[in-house]
C-alpha cells in the first residue's frame, strides 16, 4: 500500500489541500481521483500536480468532505492492484 499523505484537517485545507508526495501512486498530471471511505462512501476529488512533487486536492466534493471533518486526521493511500484511492478518517474528541 502506498501512503500518499496523513494530515490533520484545518480550516485552511477546506478550499484546497496542498501536500508533497514523492511516490508513483498519483497521476502525473491533472486527474479526478475516485476515493472510497471505510463505510463504503465514495467521492471524486480533483488532483493537480503543482510542481515536481507538490500536489493539491480540491473541488466541490473535497470541500464538503473536508468541512465536515475539521480537526480529524485523514490518511489517503492506494493499493497497487486497485483503481481507486482509500481515505481513512480518525476523529479525536
Amino acid at each position: 500500500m502506498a501512503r500518499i499523505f496523513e494530515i490533520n484537517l484545518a480550516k485552511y485545507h477546506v478550499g484546497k489541500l496542498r501536500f508533497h508526495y514523492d511516490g508513483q501512486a498519483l497521476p502525473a498530471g491533472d486527474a479526478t481521483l475516485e476515493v472510497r471511505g471505510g463505510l463504503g462512501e465514495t467521492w471524486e476529488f480533483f488532483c493537480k500536480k503543482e510542481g515536481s512533487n507538490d500536489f493539491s486536492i480540491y473541488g466541490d466534493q473535497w470541500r464538503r468532505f473536508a468541512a465536515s471533518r475539521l480537526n480529524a486526521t485523514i490518511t489517503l493511500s492506494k493499493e497497487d492492484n486497485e483503481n481507486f484511492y482509500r481515505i481513512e478518517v480518525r476523529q479525536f474528541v
Side-chain angles (χ1 to χ4, degrees), residues 14-72:
V14 173
K16 180 188 274 190
L17 172 65
R18 290 185 175 99
F19 60 96
H20 184 82
Y21 177 67
D22 291 327
Q24 301 295 318
L26 289 173
D30 297 354
T32 301
L33 306 181
E34 180 184 340
V35 180
R36 296 184 185 174
L39 301 174
E41 317 95 330
T42 60
W43 301 273
E44 287 188 348
F45 300 155
F46 297 118
C47 181
K48 181 176 185 171
K49 190 168 187 174
E50 295 190 337
S52 60
N53 292 316
D54 296 319
F55 294 84
S56 64
I57 291 181
Y58 60 98
D60 291 340
Q61 290 189 22
W62 167 255
R63 282 190 292 277
R64 286 192 294 274
F65 173 88
S68 66
R69 290 162 178 84
L70 290 177
N71 302 316

